[in-house]
Amino acid sequence: MLDPHSERACRITNAYKTGIELRDTLQDGVCLRAAVSAVTISTDELEDGYPEWHPAPDSFRGMLRLFIYREITGESYRTLETLQELAEAFGLEHVPDESVLSRTWRNRFDDSVREYVTVTAHLVVKELHDYGPSISAIRPKEEVTGSKPESVEDDYQDESMGGEFSDEQIRQTTRLARDHGFDGFDSGRAQNASYEDTQFFELQTFMGMVGCGTAQGAARFQFRRGEDYGPHGDTHLRAVKQFEPTELVEGFDQATDRLLSAIADEASFRRPVTAAIDITTVPYYGDVEGMTMVSGMHGDEERAFKFATLSVVGENIPLVLAIEPVRESSGWDENPSNQVHRVVRRLVSRAKEHVPIETVLCDREFDSMQVYQTLANLNVNYLIPKRISSTEREAIQRMEADGHDVAVENASVDVEAGSHAMRFLYVPSTNGGGTAVFATNLRIRPEEAESFCRRYSQRWQIENEYKSIKRDFLAKTSSKDYRVRLFYFVFAVLLYNIWRLTDFLLKAGVDAEMDYPPVLTAGECVELVASAMIPPD
């Protein structure tokens, strides 16, 4: 039961009042747009997530009205962007584009605001379907009955494919993927502990699904599952801190091995794969004193935690095979300078325990002789764009003078870790003119160079991967404890892998090509994983 004097109780009461006023206005025959534009919205218990100095031009109240309208109609962000006639009615200069709408829902609106919008809109939908009048713009009642609080916008969903699989097929396959994913993690807590590890994993899954923090997630989870079912937020954080960084990385490796065992017969994974290595960031805004794992960005004006990953790209299932925390030297710590080739060595060595690797793609951050030699020592090929220095500029000038678009320059690496022959490939840039330079240890002739370097475009799959991990699976936290930060990121990557494996297994169960978008959205997968972990009655 809610404390009737609590802030949440007041907020929900105000949401019901707004919904009832909307219902009454619509039942009087007023159109939906006019009703939403005139309805009373109480913001006493709501907080704008953007501070006054934020450059966002859209008014907070106007965006509230826009999202209440969206939640009532069920319109997608893409469709909403085209309804510019809503702008004036809701007090906006224009209806923002998809990216702004998505950021508003996920970043500007916190849990309280999203709950206010959802409660208001869903009351209207249910009341109108139950008591009329019939309004074509109102979404179906079943879409809001028992639905999750957040409206999840998923760019990957292809509705045309959804009808090929029953809910039971999806649920069973998700459960199979779940069963291969979590056994590698053991907190080492006492056997008589109040909660099993799986209950913490379930809560973590729920937090990733709804995109909230630990305290809010635990409270909302208990509201859904029962007060005694799940741990409190502080209990969850204490359990998470039982996992040391090395244990988390090892647990992820075990989980990866188990996930891949589910597709051991897939021929494509018996062949050498193309892999991409990159470093992603999770912003940090707190005090940096004593925060040795926080790195500076852009001249230390921005700060973030950094994580390196190795992922399968190309024609295979896009899975993350290895994770490595990145520890850099910053002005507030005494860390030694980061030696990125050691990060590369650990990532590739662990990934090769799971699949054979043919070629590794990296970005310019990995352009160094030590990285080249490390990859050569690991017996893998590499393709890495090179930073343009005076030496490369002189070579490009000679090419232009000779009228050549492509050139191959023989070179060699000779460092403490070893030496090998390699080549620099000069090819036309795909980014609007000029010449790009790539380093590789393969024997590439000039007539092959341009087509070979096109393989580098496969690396951009990892950018979409990071976007999905952080948008769909990463729970929020403000904790300064790095064990918490690493656990949240590792768990988000694990959920991403389960999503991808589940999608593959679903497609493998029908006679169809593998090149269409995922049949199971990220949000659906996480929700099903969470539900599959609930013990049977």
Side-chain angles (χ1 to χ4, degrees), residues 15 18-19 22 32 36 39-41 61-74 90 105 109 113 116-118 120-122 124-125 139:
T18 302
L22 263 176
L32 179 60
V36 174
V39 73
T40 303
I41 293 180
R61 283 181 178 271
M63 294 301 280
L64 278 173
R65 295 185 190 278
L66 183 63
F67 274 90
I68 289 173
Y69 179 93
R70 175 183 184 260
E71 197 63 28
I72 291 174
T73 62
F90 296 163
W105 184 255
F109 290 178
V113 177
Y116 179 94
V117 169
T118 303
T120 297
H122 290 190
V124 173
V125 173
R139 70 197 300 179

PDB file of all heavy atoms in Angstrom, residues 15 18-19 22 32 36 39-41 61-74 90 105 109 113 116-118 120-122 124-125 139:
ATOM      1  N   ALA A  15      -1.996  12.096 -11.704  1.00  0.00           N
ATOM      2  CA  ALA A  15      -2.083  11.443 -13.011  1.00  0.00           C
ATOM      3  C   ALA A  15      -3.508  10.952 -13.265  1.00  0.00           C
ATOM      4  O   ALA A  15      -4.045  11.109 -14.372  1.00  0.00           O
ATOM      5  CB  ALA A  15      -1.096  10.276 -13.078  1.00  0.00           C
ATOM      6  N   THR A  18      -5.690  13.904 -14.125  1.00  0.00           N
ATOM      7  CA  THR A  18      -5.475  14.315 -15.520  1.00  0.00           C
ATOM      8  C   THR A  18      -6.184  13.362 -16.467  1.00  0.00           C
ATOM      9  O   THR A  18      -6.829  13.781 -17.434  1.00  0.00           O
ATOM     10  CB  THR A  18      -3.970  14.369 -15.835  1.00  0.00           C
ATOM     11  OG1 THR A  18      -3.322  15.268 -14.933  1.00  0.00           O
ATOM     12  CG2 THR A  18      -3.722  14.829 -17.265  1.00  0.00           C
ATOM     13  N   GLY A  19      -6.059  12.051 -16.206  1.00  0.00           N
ATOM     14  CA  GLY A  19      -6.700  11.061 -17.058  1.00  0.00           C
ATOM     15  C   GLY A  19      -8.215  11.175 -17.032  1.00  0.00           C
ATOM     16  O   GLY A  19      -8.885  11.081 -18.076  1.00  0.00           O
ATOM     17  N   LEU A  22      -9.320  14.180 -19.017  1.00  0.00           N
ATOM     18  CA  LEU A  22      -9.213  13.872 -20.445  1.00  0.00           C
ATOM     19  C   LEU A  22     -10.376  13.001 -20.899  1.00  0.00           C
ATOM     20  O   LEU A  22     -10.992  13.234 -21.946  1.00  0.00           O
ATOM     21  CB  LEU A  22      -7.891  13.154 -20.724  1.00  0.00           C
ATOM     22  CG  LEU A  22      -6.713  13.975 -21.233  1.00  0.00           C
ATOM     23  CD1 LEU A  22      -5.479  13.100 -21.354  1.00  0.00           C
ATOM     24  CD2 LEU A  22      -7.041  14.617 -22.569  1.00  0.00           C
ATOM     25  N   LEU A  32      -9.224  14.509 -29.817  1.00  0.00           N
ATOM     26  CA  LEU A  32      -8.120  14.120 -28.937  1.00  0.00           C
ATOM     27  C   LEU A  32      -7.067  15.211 -28.849  1.00  0.00           C
ATOM     28  O   LEU A  32      -6.575  15.536 -27.757  1.00  0.00           O
ATOM     29  CB  LEU A  32      -7.495  12.810 -29.432  1.00  0.00           C
ATOM     30  CG  LEU A  32      -6.305  12.287 -28.619  1.00  0.00           C
ATOM     31  CD1 LEU A  32      -6.700  12.021 -27.176  1.00  0.00           C
ATOM     32  CD2 LEU A  32      -5.748  11.010 -29.252  1.00  0.00           C
ATOM     33  N   VAL A  36      -6.065  16.990 -25.257  1.00  0.00           N
ATOM     34  CA  VAL A  36      -4.733  16.915 -24.644  1.00  0.00           C
ATOM     35  C   VAL A  36      -4.121  18.304 -24.495  1.00  0.00           C
ATOM     36  O   VAL A  36      -3.445  18.606 -23.506  1.00  0.00           O
ATOM     37  CB  VAL A  36      -3.810  15.999 -25.481  1.00  0.00           C
ATOM     38  CG1 VAL A  36      -2.386  16.032 -24.934  1.00  0.00           C
ATOM     39  CG2 VAL A  36      -4.335  14.573 -25.492  1.00  0.00           C
ATOM     40  N   VAL A  39      -5.906  19.935 -21.287  1.00  0.00           N
ATOM     41  CA  VAL A  39      -6.016  19.238 -20.015  1.00  0.00           C
ATOM     42  C   VAL A  39      -5.065  19.825 -18.974  1.00  0.00           C
ATOM     43  O   VAL A  39      -3.989  20.338 -19.304  1.00  0.00           O
ATOM     44  CB  VAL A  39      -5.734  17.731 -20.201  1.00  0.00           C
ATOM     45  CG1 VAL A  39      -4.246  17.470 -20.443  1.00  0.00           C
ATOM     46  CG2 VAL A  39      -6.235  16.921 -19.008  1.00  0.00           C
ATOM     47  N   THR A  40      -5.487  19.771 -17.712  1.00  0.00           N
ATOM     48  CA  THR A  40      -4.663  20.270 -16.608  1.00  0.00           C
ATOM     49  C   THR A  40      -3.543  19.285 -16.307  1.00  0.00           C
ATOM     50  O   THR A  40      -3.805  18.088 -16.104  1.00  0.00           O
ATOM     51  CB  THR A  40      -5.513  20.470 -15.347  1.00  0.00           C
ATOM     52  OG1 THR A  40      -6.587  21.366 -15.651  1.00  0.00           O
ATOM     53  CG2 THR A  40      -4.672  21.037 -14.213  1.00  0.00           C
ATOM     54  N   ILE A  41      -2.306  19.764 -16.277  1.00  0.00           N
ATOM     55  CA  ILE A  41      -1.151  18.927 -15.957  1.00  0.00           C
ATOM     56  C   ILE A  41      -0.455  19.500 -14.734  1.00  0.00           C
ATOM     57  O   ILE A  41      -0.004  20.654 -14.751  1.00  0.00           O
ATOM     58  CB  ILE A  41      -0.167  18.848 -17.143  1.00  0.00           C
ATOM     59  CG1 ILE A  41      -0.806  18.095 -18.310  1.00  0.00           C
ATOM     60  CG2 ILE A  41       1.134  18.162 -16.721  1.00  0.00           C
ATOM     61  CD1 ILE A  41       0.087  17.956 -19.517  1.00  0.00           C
ATOM     62  N   ARG A  61       6.347  21.123 -20.294  1.00  0.00           N
ATOM     63  CA  ARG A  61       4.914  20.852 -20.342  1.00  0.00           C
ATOM     64  C   ARG A  61       4.482  20.426 -21.746  1.00  0.00           C
ATOM     65  O   ARG A  61       3.642  19.531 -21.910  1.00  0.00           O
ATOM     66  CB  ARG A  61       4.115  22.082 -19.909  1.00  0.00           C
ATOM     67  CG  ARG A  61       4.100  22.314 -18.399  1.00  0.00           C
ATOM     68  CD  ARG A  61       3.269  23.543 -18.056  1.00  0.00           C
ATOM     69  NE  ARG A  61       3.222  23.744 -16.623  1.00  0.00           N
ATOM     70  CZ  ARG A  61       2.319  23.210 -15.813  1.00  0.00           C
ATOM     71  NH1 ARG A  61       1.387  22.416 -16.323  1.00  0.00           N
ATOM     72  NH2 ARG A  61       2.335  23.437 -14.513  1.00  0.00           N
ATOM     73  N   GLY A  62       5.033  21.081 -22.747  1.00  0.00           N
ATOM     74  CA  GLY A  62       4.688  20.714 -24.112  1.00  0.00           C
ATOM     75  C   GLY A  62       5.065  19.290 -24.435  1.00  0.00           C
ATOM     76  O   GLY A  62       4.303  18.552 -25.076  1.00  0.00           O
ATOM     77  N   MET A  63       6.259  18.870 -23.970  1.00  0.00           N
ATOM     78  CA  MET A  63       6.686  17.494 -24.223  1.00  0.00           C
ATOM     79  C   MET A  63       5.848  16.494 -23.423  1.00  0.00           C
ATOM     80  O   MET A  63       5.578  15.377 -23.888  1.00  0.00           O
ATOM     81  CB  MET A  63       8.170  17.341 -23.888  1.00  0.00           C
ATOM     82  CG  MET A  63       9.093  18.150 -24.798  1.00  0.00           C
ATOM     83  SD  MET A  63       8.936  17.711 -26.548  1.00  0.00           S
ATOM     84  CE  MET A  63       9.928  16.222 -26.601  1.00  0.00           C
ATOM     85  N   LEU A  64       5.399  16.892 -22.223  1.00  0.00           N
ATOM     86  CA  LEU A  64       4.508  16.023 -21.463  1.00  0.00           C
ATOM     87  C   LEU A  64       3.216  15.771 -22.237  1.00  0.00           C
ATOM     88  O   LEU A  64       2.740  14.632 -22.345  1.00  0.00           O
ATOM     89  CB  LEU A  64       4.184  16.658 -20.106  1.00  0.00           C
ATOM     90  CG  LEU A  64       5.208  16.495 -18.983  1.00  0.00           C
ATOM     91  CD1 LEU A  64       4.806  17.338 -17.780  1.00  0.00           C
ATOM     92  CD2 LEU A  64       5.343  15.038 -18.579  1.00  0.00           C
ATOM     93  N   ARG A  65       2.647  16.835 -22.801  1.00  0.00           N
ATOM     94  CA  ARG A  65       1.412  16.683 -23.568  1.00  0.00           C
ATOM     95  C   ARG A  65       1.653  15.797 -24.800  1.00  0.00           C
ATOM     96  O   ARG A  65       0.820  14.941 -25.141  1.00  0.00           O
ATOM     97  CB  ARG A  65       0.881  18.051 -24.000  1.00  0.00           C
ATOM     98  CG  ARG A  65       0.444  18.931 -22.841  1.00  0.00           C
ATOM     99  CD  ARG A  65      -0.187  20.235 -23.329  1.00  0.00           C
ATOM    100  NE  ARG A  65      -0.370  21.156 -22.227  1.00  0.00           N
ATOM    101  CZ  ARG A  65      -1.400  21.130 -21.376  1.00  0.00           C
ATOM    102  NH1 ARG A  65      -2.345  20.208 -21.556  1.00  0.00           N
ATOM    103  NH2 ARG A  65      -1.492  21.994 -20.392  1.00  0.00           N
ATOM    104  N   LEU A  66       2.790  16.003 -25.462  1.00  0.00           N
ATOM    105  CA  LEU A  66       3.099  15.220 -26.653  1.00  0.00           C
ATOM    106  C   LEU A  66       3.211  13.744 -26.319  1.00  0.00           C
ATOM    107  O   LEU A  66       2.696  12.877 -27.052  1.00  0.00           O
ATOM    108  CB  LEU A  66       4.397  15.723 -27.289  1.00  0.00           C
ATOM    109  CG  LEU A  66       4.826  15.050 -28.592  1.00  0.00           C
ATOM    110  CD1 LEU A  66       3.792  15.290 -29.684  1.00  0.00           C
ATOM    111  CD2 LEU A  66       6.193  15.577 -29.036  1.00  0.00           C
ATOM    112  N   PHE A  67       3.848  13.410 -25.190  1.00  0.00           N
ATOM    113  CA  PHE A  67       4.025  12.001 -24.841  1.00  0.00           C
ATOM    114  C   PHE A  67       2.739  11.384 -24.287  1.00  0.00           C
ATOM    115  O   PHE A  67       2.519  10.179 -24.437  1.00  0.00           O
ATOM    116  CB  PHE A  67       5.189  11.838 -23.864  1.00  0.00           C
ATOM    117  CG  PHE A  67       6.521  11.723 -24.560  1.00  0.00           C
ATOM    118  CD1 PHE A  67       7.269  12.843 -24.846  1.00  0.00           C
ATOM    119  CD2 PHE A  67       7.002  10.488 -24.967  1.00  0.00           C
ATOM    120  CE1 PHE A  67       8.478  12.751 -25.512  1.00  0.00           C
ATOM    121  CE2 PHE A  67       8.212  10.375 -25.625  1.00  0.00           C
ATOM    122  CZ  PHE A  67       8.951  11.512 -25.907  1.00  0.00           C
ATOM    123  N   ILE A  68       1.896  12.168 -23.644  1.00  0.00           N
ATOM    124  CA  ILE A  68       0.590  11.646 -23.247  1.00  0.00           C
ATOM    125  C   ILE A  68      -0.212  11.292 -24.496  1.00  0.00           C
ATOM    126  O   ILE A  68      -0.838  10.228 -24.581  1.00  0.00           O
ATOM    127  CB  ILE A  68      -0.162  12.669 -22.375  1.00  0.00           C
ATOM    128  CG1 ILE A  68       0.493  12.768 -20.985  1.00  0.00           C
ATOM    129  CG2 ILE A  68      -1.635  12.297 -22.237  1.00  0.00           C
ATOM    130  CD1 ILE A  68      -0.065  13.869 -20.109  1.00  0.00           C
ATOM    131  N   TYR A  69      -0.167  12.169 -25.500  1.00  0.00           N
ATOM    132  CA  TYR A  69      -0.835  11.897 -26.768  1.00  0.00           C
ATOM    133  C   TYR A  69      -0.278  10.624 -27.401  1.00  0.00           C
ATOM    134  O   TYR A  69      -1.031   9.759 -27.870  1.00  0.00           O
ATOM    135  CB  TYR A  69      -0.653  13.085 -27.720  1.00  0.00           C
ATOM    136  CG  TYR A  69      -1.282  12.914 -29.076  1.00  0.00           C
ATOM    137  CD1 TYR A  69      -2.567  13.355 -29.341  1.00  0.00           C
ATOM    138  CD2 TYR A  69      -0.581  12.297 -30.114  1.00  0.00           C
ATOM    139  CE1 TYR A  69      -3.148  13.190 -30.597  1.00  0.00           C
ATOM    140  CE2 TYR A  69      -1.152  12.129 -31.368  1.00  0.00           C
ATOM    141  CZ  TYR A  69      -2.429  12.576 -31.601  1.00  0.00           C
ATOM    142  OH  TYR A  69      -2.991  12.402 -32.838  1.00  0.00           O
ATOM    143  N   ARG A  70       1.043  10.496 -27.406  1.00  0.00           N
ATOM    144  CA  ARG A  70       1.675   9.309 -28.004  1.00  0.00           C
ATOM    145  C   ARG A  70       1.267   8.045 -27.262  1.00  0.00           C
ATOM    146  O   ARG A  70       0.993   7.010 -27.873  1.00  0.00           O
ATOM    147  CB  ARG A  70       3.186   9.455 -27.981  1.00  0.00           C
ATOM    148  CG  ARG A  70       3.909   8.196 -28.476  1.00  0.00           C
ATOM    149  CD  ARG A  70       5.412   8.329 -28.388  1.00  0.00           C
ATOM    150  NE  ARG A  70       6.023   7.146 -28.964  1.00  0.00           N
ATOM    151  CZ  ARG A  70       6.508   6.120 -28.266  1.00  0.00           C
ATOM    152  NH1 ARG A  70       6.454   6.144 -26.950  1.00  0.00           N
ATOM    153  NH2 ARG A  70       7.051   5.075 -28.858  1.00  0.00           N
ATOM    154  N   GLU A  71       1.223   8.111 -25.926  1.00  0.00           N
ATOM    155  CA  GLU A  71       0.896   6.917 -25.157  1.00  0.00           C
ATOM    156  C   GLU A  71      -0.570   6.525 -25.328  1.00  0.00           C
ATOM    157  O   GLU A  71      -0.928   5.343 -25.257  1.00  0.00           O
ATOM    158  CB  GLU A  71       1.216   7.148 -23.676  1.00  0.00           C
ATOM    159  CG  GLU A  71       1.300   5.896 -22.842  1.00  0.00           C
ATOM    160  CD  GLU A  71       2.428   4.972 -23.277  1.00  0.00           C
ATOM    161  OE1 GLU A  71       3.431   5.457 -23.822  1.00  0.00           O
ATOM    162  OE2 GLU A  71       2.286   3.746 -23.090  1.00  0.00           O
ATOM    163  N   ILE A  72      -1.429   7.495 -25.583  1.00  0.00           N
ATOM    164  CA  ILE A  72      -2.843   7.197 -25.828  1.00  0.00           C
ATOM    165  C   ILE A  72      -3.031   6.563 -27.213  1.00  0.00           C
ATOM    166  O   ILE A  72      -3.809   5.623 -27.380  1.00  0.00           O
ATOM    167  CB  ILE A  72      -3.695   8.477 -25.705  1.00  0.00           C
ATOM    168  CG1 ILE A  72      -3.745   8.938 -24.241  1.00  0.00           C
ATOM    169  CG2 ILE A  72      -5.106   8.261 -26.240  1.00  0.00           C
ATOM    170  CD1 ILE A  72      -4.434  10.275 -24.041  1.00  0.00           C
ATOM    171  N   THR A  73      -2.303   7.068 -28.193  1.00  0.00           N
ATOM    172  CA  THR A  73      -2.481   6.595 -29.572  1.00  0.00           C
ATOM    173  C   THR A  73      -1.590   5.411 -29.928  1.00  0.00           C
ATOM    174  O   THR A  73      -1.895   4.661 -30.867  1.00  0.00           O
ATOM    175  CB  THR A  73      -2.186   7.723 -30.565  1.00  0.00           C
ATOM    176  OG1 THR A  73      -0.812   8.141 -30.416  1.00  0.00           O
ATOM    177  CG2 THR A  73      -3.102   8.914 -30.325  1.00  0.00           C
ATOM    178  N   GLY A  74      -0.468   5.256 -29.219  1.00  0.00           N
ATOM    179  CA  GLY A  74       0.471   4.189 -29.553  1.00  0.00           C
ATOM    180  C   GLY A  74       1.306   4.484 -30.777  1.00  0.00           C
ATOM    181  O   GLY A  74       1.928   3.581 -31.345  1.00  0.00           O
ATOM    182  N   PHE A  90       0.198  21.904 -28.587  1.00  0.00           N
ATOM    183  CA  PHE A  90       0.841  21.481 -27.350  1.00  0.00           C
ATOM    184  C   PHE A  90       1.877  22.485 -26.841  1.00  0.00           C
ATOM    185  O   PHE A  90       2.596  22.214 -25.884  1.00  0.00           O
ATOM    186  CB  PHE A  90       1.506  20.113 -27.537  1.00  0.00           C
ATOM    187  CG  PHE A  90       0.535  19.007 -27.841  1.00  0.00           C
ATOM    188  CD1 PHE A  90       0.967  17.796 -28.380  1.00  0.00           C
ATOM    189  CD2 PHE A  90      -0.823  19.160 -27.593  1.00  0.00           C
ATOM    190  CE1 PHE A  90       0.068  16.778 -28.660  1.00  0.00           C
ATOM    191  CE2 PHE A  90      -1.730  18.153 -27.880  1.00  0.00           C
ATOM    192  CZ  PHE A  90      -1.288  16.957 -28.415  1.00  0.00           C
ATOM    193  N   TRP A 105      12.385  10.726 -23.744  1.00  0.00           N
ATOM    194  CA  TRP A 105      11.760   9.676 -22.940  1.00  0.00           C
ATOM    195  C   TRP A 105      12.756   8.974 -22.034  1.00  0.00           C
ATOM    196  O   TRP A 105      12.461   8.671 -20.875  1.00  0.00           O
ATOM    197  CB  TRP A 105      11.093   8.664 -23.869  1.00  0.00           C
ATOM    198  CG  TRP A 105      10.348   7.587 -23.137  1.00  0.00           C
ATOM    199  CD1 TRP A 105      10.735   6.299 -22.961  1.00  0.00           C
ATOM    200  CD2 TRP A 105       9.092   7.706 -22.468  1.00  0.00           C
ATOM    201  NE1 TRP A 105       9.795   5.599 -22.238  1.00  0.00           N
ATOM    202  CE2 TRP A 105       8.780   6.444 -21.918  1.00  0.00           C
ATOM    203  CE3 TRP A 105       8.199   8.763 -22.273  1.00  0.00           C
ATOM    204  CZ2 TRP A 105       7.616   6.212 -21.190  1.00  0.00           C
ATOM    205  CZ3 TRP A 105       7.026   8.524 -21.556  1.00  0.00           C
ATOM    206  CH2 TRP A 105       6.749   7.268 -21.031  1.00  0.00           C
ATOM    207  N   PHE A 109      13.028  12.566 -19.166  1.00  0.00           N
ATOM    208  CA  PHE A 109      11.992  12.075 -18.271  1.00  0.00           C
ATOM    209  C   PHE A 109      12.579  11.005 -17.364  1.00  0.00           C
ATOM    210  O   PHE A 109      13.151  10.024 -17.839  1.00  0.00           O
ATOM    211  CB  PHE A 109      10.835  11.464 -19.062  1.00  0.00           C
ATOM    212  CG  PHE A 109       9.995  12.451 -19.828  1.00  0.00           C
ATOM    213  CD1 PHE A 109       8.939  12.017 -20.612  1.00  0.00           C
ATOM    214  CD2 PHE A 109      10.252  13.818 -19.777  1.00  0.00           C
ATOM    215  CE1 PHE A 109       8.153  12.906 -21.326  1.00  0.00           C
ATOM    216  CE2 PHE A 109       9.476  14.726 -20.485  1.00  0.00           C
ATOM    217  CZ  PHE A 109       8.429  14.271 -21.268  1.00  0.00           C
ATOM    218  N   VAL A 113       8.281  10.854 -14.074  1.00  0.00           N
ATOM    219  CA  VAL A 113       7.585  11.490 -15.200  1.00  0.00           C
ATOM    220  C   VAL A 113       6.994  10.437 -16.116  1.00  0.00           C
ATOM    221  O   VAL A 113       5.845  10.550 -16.570  1.00  0.00           O
ATOM    222  CB  VAL A 113       8.555  12.416 -15.967  1.00  0.00           C
ATOM    223  CG1 VAL A 113       7.852  13.029 -17.187  1.00  0.00           C
ATOM    224  CG2 VAL A 113       9.072  13.519 -15.060  1.00  0.00           C
ATOM    225  N   TYR A 116       3.885   9.066 -14.580  1.00  0.00           N
ATOM    226  CA  TYR A 116       2.767  10.017 -14.688  1.00  0.00           C
ATOM    227  C   TYR A 116       2.135   9.936 -16.075  1.00  0.00           C
ATOM    228  O   TYR A 116       0.907   9.849 -16.214  1.00  0.00           O
ATOM    229  CB  TYR A 116       3.284  11.433 -14.409  1.00  0.00           C
ATOM    230  CG  TYR A 116       2.236  12.517 -14.508  1.00  0.00           C
ATOM    231  CD1 TYR A 116       1.555  12.949 -13.384  1.00  0.00           C
ATOM    232  CD2 TYR A 116       1.933  13.121 -15.728  1.00  0.00           C
ATOM    233  CE1 TYR A 116       0.585  13.954 -13.464  1.00  0.00           C
ATOM    234  CE2 TYR A 116       0.971  14.120 -15.823  1.00  0.00           C
ATOM    235  CZ  TYR A 116       0.314  14.530 -14.682  1.00  0.00           C
ATOM    236  OH  TYR A 116      -0.637  15.504 -14.784  1.00  0.00           O
ATOM    237  N   VAL A 117       2.970   9.954 -17.114  1.00  0.00           N
ATOM    238  CA  VAL A 117       2.467   9.891 -18.488  1.00  0.00           C
ATOM    239  C   VAL A 117       1.720   8.583 -18.720  1.00  0.00           C
ATOM    240  O   VAL A 117       0.618   8.565 -19.283  1.00  0.00           O
ATOM    241  CB  VAL A 117       3.634  10.028 -19.491  1.00  0.00           C
ATOM    242  CG1 VAL A 117       3.182   9.702 -20.913  1.00  0.00           C
ATOM    243  CG2 VAL A 117       4.218  11.431 -19.433  1.00  0.00           C
ATOM    244  N   THR A 118       2.302   7.475 -18.276  1.00  0.00           N
ATOM    245  CA  THR A 118       1.725   6.165 -18.531  1.00  0.00           C
ATOM    246  C   THR A 118       0.404   5.979 -17.799  1.00  0.00           C
ATOM    247  O   THR A 118      -0.584   5.501 -18.378  1.00  0.00           O
ATOM    248  CB  THR A 118       2.717   5.066 -18.110  1.00  0.00           C
ATOM    249  OG1 THR A 118       3.949   5.250 -18.808  1.00  0.00           O
ATOM    250  CG2 THR A 118       2.176   3.689 -18.423  1.00  0.00           C
ATOM    251  N   THR A 120      -1.675   8.272 -16.710  1.00  0.00           N
ATOM    252  CA  THR A 120      -2.673   9.157 -17.316  1.00  0.00           C
ATOM    253  C   THR A 120      -3.228   8.552 -18.607  1.00  0.00           C
ATOM    254  O   THR A 120      -4.446   8.423 -18.796  1.00  0.00           O
ATOM    255  CB  THR A 120      -2.053  10.530 -17.624  1.00  0.00           C
ATOM    256  OG1 THR A 120      -1.644  11.156 -16.409  1.00  0.00           O
ATOM    257  CG2 THR A 120      -3.038  11.432 -18.346  1.00  0.00           C
ATOM    258  N   ALA A 121      -2.339   8.187 -19.518  1.00  0.00           N
ATOM    259  CA  ALA A 121      -2.752   7.737 -20.840  1.00  0.00           C
ATOM    260  C   ALA A 121      -3.479   6.400 -20.787  1.00  0.00           C
ATOM    261  O   ALA A 121      -4.496   6.204 -21.461  1.00  0.00           O
ATOM    262  CB  ALA A 121      -1.540   7.646 -21.761  1.00  0.00           C
ATOM    263  N   HIS A 122      -3.001   5.478 -19.986  1.00  0.00           N
ATOM    264  CA  HIS A 122      -3.602   4.154 -19.947  1.00  0.00           C
ATOM    265  C   HIS A 122      -4.990   4.183 -19.313  1.00  0.00           C
ATOM    266  O   HIS A 122      -5.868   3.397 -19.693  1.00  0.00           O
ATOM    267  CB  HIS A 122      -2.685   3.172 -19.224  1.00  0.00           C
ATOM    268  CG  HIS A 122      -1.449   2.849 -20.000  1.00  0.00           C
ATOM    269  ND1 HIS A 122      -0.578   1.844 -19.651  1.00  0.00           N
ATOM    270  CD2 HIS A 122      -0.929   3.407 -21.135  1.00  0.00           C
ATOM    271  CE1 HIS A 122       0.418   1.788 -20.528  1.00  0.00           C
ATOM    272  NE2 HIS A 122       0.228   2.741 -21.427  1.00  0.00           N
ATOM    273  N   VAL A 124      -7.081   6.625 -19.745  1.00  0.00           N
ATOM    274  CA  VAL A 124      -7.926   7.106 -20.834  1.00  0.00           C
ATOM    275  C   VAL A 124      -8.251   5.976 -21.805  1.00  0.00           C
ATOM    276  O   VAL A 124      -9.409   5.789 -22.204  1.00  0.00           O
ATOM    277  CB  VAL A 124      -7.238   8.269 -21.573  1.00  0.00           C
ATOM    278  CG1 VAL A 124      -8.029   8.665 -22.820  1.00  0.00           C
ATOM    279  CG2 VAL A 124      -7.075   9.475 -20.650  1.00  0.00           C
ATOM    280  N   VAL A 125      -7.248   5.204 -22.184  1.00  0.00           N
ATOM    281  CA  VAL A 125      -7.449   4.115 -23.143  1.00  0.00           C
ATOM    282  C   VAL A 125      -8.450   3.100 -22.598  1.00  0.00           C
ATOM    283  O   VAL A 125      -9.395   2.687 -23.288  1.00  0.00           O
ATOM    284  CB  VAL A 125      -6.108   3.434 -23.483  1.00  0.00           C
ATOM    285  CG1 VAL A 125      -6.336   2.199 -24.352  1.00  0.00           C
ATOM    286  CG2 VAL A 125      -5.172   4.404 -24.193  1.00  0.00           C
ATOM    287  N   ARG A 139      -5.408   3.697 -29.107  1.00  0.00           N
ATOM    288  CA  ARG A 139      -4.769   2.404 -29.314  1.00  0.00           C
ATOM    289  C   ARG A 139      -5.626   1.272 -28.720  1.00  0.00           C
ATOM    290  O   ARG A 139      -6.466   1.523 -27.842  1.00  0.00           O
ATOM    291  CB  ARG A 139      -3.381   2.391 -28.679  1.00  0.00           C
ATOM    292  CG  ARG A 139      -3.397   2.398 -27.159  1.00  0.00           C
ATOM    293  CD  ARG A 139      -2.082   2.780 -26.525  1.00  0.00           C
ATOM    294  NE  ARG A 139      -1.019   1.874 -26.912  1.00  0.00           N
ATOM    295  CZ  ARG A 139       0.252   2.002 -26.500  1.00  0.00           C
ATOM    296  NH1 ARG A 139       0.595   3.008 -25.705  1.00  0.00           N
ATOM    297  NH2 ARG A 139       1.161   1.143 -26.884  1.00  0.00           N
TER     298      ARG A 139
END
